[in-house]
Amino acid sequence: QVQLVESGGGSVQAGGSLRLSCAASIYTFSDYYMGWFRQAPGKEREGVAVLVTAFGNTYYADSVKGRFTISQDAAKNTLYLQMNSLKPEDTAMYYCAAADLTSMRGRYIFAPESYRYWGQGTQVTISS
């Protein structure tokens, strides 16, 4: 059973940085699509970044390209989201998500509904 626990959120000023962590109770990242999603009040949940270890691929939303980096530490079973040059519009609840590799065929990797497993979320607040 997959369990995901996010941490690392907080409040920082615009231009600052945060690193989010997702502790994953999974055997190997190679069996999953791993993603970061976010949801601001009054807005739909949106994909931020996806890591597919099996294929060595990363994907980013246009709004965060060049600023955010998704990565993993397999030895620690931890997924990271390094967020730099933060903007007020980055303010949201950030969620870690996982999808079984074999379940993703024909699915959109940035669609929340494509992911079966979710963490509880960690709040990120950016002030101007």
Side-chain angles (χ1 to χ4, degrees):
Q1 295 181 338
V2 175
Q3 300 286 335
L4 305 172
V5 181
E6 304 96 331
S7 62
S11 298
V12 298
Q13 293 184 334
S17 298
L18 283 172
R19 188 176 77 163
L20 306 183
S21 298
C22 173
S25 62
I26 59 177
Y27 181 71
T28 174
F29 283 107
S30 294
D31 290 338
Y32 300 91
Y33 281 64
M34 301 296 300
W36 286 98
F37 293 76
R38 67 186 183 186
Q39 187 167 22
K43 296 184 178 180
E44 295 184 357
R45 189 168 299 188
E46 63 176 350
V48 175
V50 174
L51 171 64
V52 189
T53 300
F55 308 128
N57 294 336
T58 57
Y59 306 88
Y60 296 93
D62 288 342
S63 59
V64 307
K65 286 180 180 177
R67 300 189 298 122
F68 291 11
T69 303
I70 187 170
S71 63
Q72 67 176 74
D73 185 335
K76 297 181 179 179
N77 269 28
T78 301
L79 183 76
Y80 299 101
L81 184 67
Q82 179 67 45
M83 306 187 295
N84 298 326
S85 301
L86 285 161
K87 305 175 181 179
E89 50 262 46
D90 295 318
T91 295
M93 185 73 74
Y94 282 72
Y95 298 91
C96 176
D100 296 308
L101 188 70
T102 56
S103 76
M104 197 58 78
R105 182 181 177 88
R107 303 288 184 265
Y108 179 44
I109 65 171
F110 271 82
E113 54 267 31
S114 297
Y115 292 78
R116 180 175 181 177
Y117 310 105
W118 293 86
Q120 82 289 347
T122 185
Q123 179 67 41
V124 171
T125 302
I126 312 302
S127 60
S128 60

